[in-house]
Amino acid sequence: MAAVSSATESNVDVIVVGAGFGGLYALHRFRQQGLSVRVFEAAPEVGGTWYYNRYPGARCDVESLDYCYSFSDELQQEWTWTEKYATQSEILDYINWVADKLDLRAGITFNTRVVSAVLDEDSMRWTIATDNGETVVARFVVMATGPLSSPLTPDIPGLETFGGPIYHTAHWPHEGVDFTGKRVGVIGTGSSGVQSIPLIAEQAAQLVVFQRSPNYSVPAGNRPLTAEEIAHAKATYGERRRLSWRSGGGSPHVAHPKLTMQASPEERRAAFEERWQLGGVLFSKTFADQMIDIEANEEARKFYEGKIRAVIDDPEVAELLIPNDHPIGTKRICTDTNYFQTFNRSNVTLVSVRKTPIESIDESGVATSEVHYDLDALVLATGFDAMTGTLAKIDIVGRGGQKLVDDWSHGPRTYLGLGVDGFPNLFLVSGPGAPAVLANMVLHAEAHIQWISEAIVYLDKHGYAAMEATSAAVDAWVTECNQRADATLFPKANSWYVGANVPGKPRVFMLFIGGFATYLDICAEVADAGYKGFALLKAP
Ligand code: N01
């Protein structure tokens, strides 16, 4: 069917918020089914998280061959990745290439933030208002706003008085930053800090790393892809994707056939070693029981500790860099290139702010309880108000004037991570209650968009105006998500998965942890049963 959307219509079938991987595919898919669509994007360009997060060393921790659209074999065959783990700039090039190839830009209103979405129950239509003063009415709203799109700035006394530049990793200047000859401080040692610190250290005269919690990080083992690997991957993409769709996390990874303690010590070590050499975050899935059984997890942790101690020269520094407050993998494992080796450099100082807290920042630097560090520039790698932060910034008002932000004041409540009771025809993409960041986000977004697209076809075919998750279905899903999380080791960590990084945020495990394939099966069963758990509504 012909594309019917344009970026000027004020009454459309679907409004999509965000032009990252999810929003772009939504635009394409909804257009293909003949719906009129408007996409709003706060940035001046497509890309979402990959538009903003340009800090040195920014890469994806999912392999490039997997972290790309699967819905079109033409796209898979035409695009050629250069490295095992793609850089931010290569991923952004890919997204721009797709946007051009599918002629998506004309459907997107850039530099425009959606500030509110209000339901009119009489017409069962949503009215969206933007910060440019435009209002648009639509039947469906799809929030493709991203789970990690609201950067956090720490509340440190005097931060605003710092005399030099302050850079947040999630809002890095497009022209890049030259730290040559500078004394630089980095606050934060999550994935963003762990990726940027080695490169900043190579450039800066002095680097001071302020670490609150040490993190587990596994070497990426990144390298260029060979022509043979690319040819093989393209020839076998179908199978690669089949394995990904049936996997726990959206990548073609298969865990060791035995459980950790069923394997002999030699088998265990060999399995960990093999996974370690493959590199990256999937180390936490070497054995299927690693995130459930503390004894199994401890085996992985001991292996990890040995590897890390071996590359750090100073045992006291190693002691500070090795986590001891959470099981390995219960916070997202970072993926690095030479992170721990960086602390062997003479121009790098590690400061544990657990031992000596940051007390204030002044014009010339950062003061801990013991030392004042004179600095020329400051980098905040301090993370995000994840999963709910960006949705909370939009005034989303459903039935009877009910606000989403109030409805979620004790933690997010969704059905399947897709729908919310009281908010008919409002869909979330990769939101709370879905596997989201626990899976390959590109395939995850595709799955959600496909599900929503098929739901709209179903509604139209059967003469329904709207669908709305029932309160009973939402309650049951929240309970199921909690029960599944409580059966794992994940709640043991003070992670952003539970909102622990945002002062005052309710502590709720915000993701469906039962695995990507299991989740997709549940979503398919719901659809096959005529959208069980959703009330299907006739036109008012
Ligand atoms: O953020 P984080 P991130 N004083 O929240 C510290 C994805 N991602 O941007 O742990 C001192 O993990 C905070 O300390 P603590 C990926 O899913 C992926 O690094 O709260 N320190 C922590 O060390 C990832 O998990 C990729 O004690 C303060 C750090 O800042 C997610 O995004 C790359 C502080 C924040 O770490 C988030 O990663 C990048 C304070 N006041 C991101 N406040 C890849 O694909 C916070 N911290 C590889």
Side-chain angles (χ1 to χ4, degrees):
M1 229 178 277
V4 287
S5 53
S6 90
T8 54
E9 287 175 60
S10 58
N11 198 325
V12 289
D13 294 315
V14 192
I15 286 171
V16 177
V17 187
F21 269 111
L24 291 177
Y25 178 51
L27 173 58
H28 175 66
R29 173 96 186 197
F30 296 145
R31 272 180 173 180
Q32 293 292 108
Q33 71 188 87
L35 299 171
S36 55
V37 192
R38 293 237 2 222
V39 179
F40 290 95
E41 169 55 60
E45 264 301 335
V46 295
T49 199
W50 298 107
Y51 174 82
Y52 286 109
N53 287 268
R54 300 169 183 246
Y55 58 83
R59 284 177 195 274
C60 187
D61 58 2
V62 177
E63 289 190 36
S64 54
L65 289 162
D66 303 311
Y67 193 81
C68 49
Y69 288 124
S70 75
F71 68 86
S72 155
D73 194 46
E74 191 185 333
L75 294 180
Q76 287 184 158
Q77 296 301 327
E78 277 190 29
W79 182 264
T80 297
W81 295 104
T82 63
E83 291 179 86
K84 184 174 172 188
Y85 293 102
T87 57
Q88 169 271 334
S89 68
E90 192 172 16
I91 297 170
L92 192 57
D93 286 350
Y94 168 80
I95 295 173
N96 274 291
W97 173 77
V98 173
D100 288 336
K101 201 170 162 57
L102 302 181
D103 192 21
L104 299 176
R105 288 175 210 284
I108 307 168
T109 306
F110 291 105
N111 295 305
T112 305
R113 189 173 283 282
V114 169
V115 293
S116 67
V118 180
L119 176 72
D120 175 13
E121 285 182 65
D122 293 335
S123 62
M124 214 29 106
R125 292 282 188 281
W126 286 91
T127 300
I128 294 292
T130 73
D131 60 355
N132 285 342
E134 192 182 1
T135 55
V136 183
V137 175
R139 196 173 148 208
F140 300 99
V141 176
V142 175
M143 293 294 182
T145 41
L148 293 157
S149 47
S150 283
L152 278 182
T153 299
D155 188 16
I156 302 174
L159 178 64
E160 69 291 347
T161 66
F162 182 62
I166 302 176
Y167 306 102
H168 197 294
T169 45
H171 273 296
W172 204 258
H174 287 209
E175 61 280 13
V177 180
D178 184 1
F179 289 116
T180 307
K182 302 272 195 275
R183 297 162 304 175
V184 183
V186 175
I187 300 178
T189 53
S191 294
S192 304
V194 159
Q195 286 187 326
S196 55
I197 284 165
L199 293 173
I200 296 172
E202 282 176 17
Q203 218 178 38
Q206 296 292 325
L207 173 63
V208 184
V209 176
F210 297 94
Q211 169 191 273
R212 192 161 64 183
S213 310
N215 255 310
Y216 293 101
S217 184
V218 173
N222 189 37
R223 55 181 174 73
L225 291 170
T226 65
E228 293 74 35
E229 282 173 314
I230 291 165
H232 176 75
K234 287 191 177 183
T236 56
Y237 240 130
E239 176 61 5
R240 189 173 185 111
R241 296 301 198 179
R242 192 191 66 74
L243 286 171
S244 299
W245 288 116
R246 297 315 309 158
S247 70
S251 302
H253 165 77
V254 179
H256 193 277
K258 292 185 182 171
L259 295 180
T260 308
M261 304 316 288
Q262 287 170 352
S264 68
E266 296 72 32
E267 284 176 316
R268 219 160 32 231
R269 192 170 174 85
F272 285 137
E273 184 63 40
E274 188 186 345
R275 192 61 247 180
W276 190 267
Q277 295 307 329
L278 287 170
V281 65
L282 292 173
F283 180 73
S284 63
K285 294 187 176 175
T286 308
F287 291 94
D289 59 346
Q290 244 168 275
M291 303 313 301
I292 303 167
D293 177 354
I294 191 70
E295 193 186 4
N297 188 280
E298 182 56 15
E299 289 297 312
R301 198 205 60 75
K302 280 191 297 199
F303 179 92
Y304 171 92
E305 183 174 344
K307 285 285 188 190
I308 300 308
R309 284 198 192 278
V311 298
I312 303 170
D313 294 345
D314 182 340
E316 281 182 30
V317 172
E319 206 54 47
L320 291 179
L321 286 168
I322 291 173
N324 56 16
D325 64 346
H326 63 283
I328 185 168
T330 52
K331 286 182 172 181
R332 188 176 182 90
I333 289 188
C334 305
T335 302
D336 73 277
T337 302
N338 290 330
Y339 176 64
F340 294 105
Q341 293 85 338
T342 298
F343 295 92
N344 298 334
R345 296 175 66 106
S346 58
N347 68 332
V348 175
T349 306
L350 177 67
V351 177
S352 165
V353 304
R354 287 231 184 277
K355 295 199 163 177
T356 57
I358 296 176
E359 292 194 331
S360 62
I361 295 178
D362 58 26
E363 192 179 354
S364 60
V366 172
T368 67
S369 54
E370 280 187 0
V371 177
H372 183 282
Y373 295 91
D374 290 339
L375 299 169
D376 303 310
L378 205 49
V379 173
L380 304 178
T382 43
F384 302 87
D385 184 353
M387 305 305 298
T388 57
T390 304
L391 290 168
K393 287 181 187 156
I394 303 173
D395 190 22
I396 302 175
V397 185
R399 282 191 190 279
Q402 173 189 354
K403 287 179 185 271
L404 189 78
V405 75
D406 295 334
D407 200 33
W408 288 10
S409 59
H410 299 294
R413 300 172 64 256
T414 72
Y415 179 39
L416 306 176
L418 281 161
V420 188
D421 51 332
F423 299 82
N425 283 357
L426 179 94
F427 295 105
L428 310 176
V429 177
S430 309
V437 289
L438 299 176
N440 172 349
M441 287 291 283
V442 182
L443 296 195
H444 191 286
E446 281 187 3
H448 268 183
I449 301 301
Q450 282 165 19
W451 192 95
I452 297 164
S453 151
E454 285 161 14
I456 293 175
V457 170
Y458 184 93
L459 293 178
D460 289 345
K461 190 172 157 201
H462 293 86
Y464 292 112
M467 64 193 292
E468 177 181 356
T470 65
S471 298
V474 171
D475 288 343
W477 187 250
V478 170
T479 302
E480 172 155 8
C481 287
N482 286 334
Q483 283 173 346
R484 284 182 184 263
D486 288 344
T488 72
L489 302 173
F490 279 85
K492 291 188 184 296
N494 290 322
S495 65
W496 58 257
Y497 298 150
V498 297
N501 62 329
V502 181
K505 196 165 174 172
R507 191 184 176 101
V508 175
F509 192 82
M510 292 185 279
L511 303 157
F512 174 85
I513 204 152
F516 189 48
T518 305
Y519 171 77
L520 296 179
D521 287 346
I522 295 171
C523 291
E525 278 166 26
V526 166
D528 290 347
Y531 296 91
K532 186 177 55 179
F534 286 91
L536 304 182
L537 310 166
K538 293 284 180 186

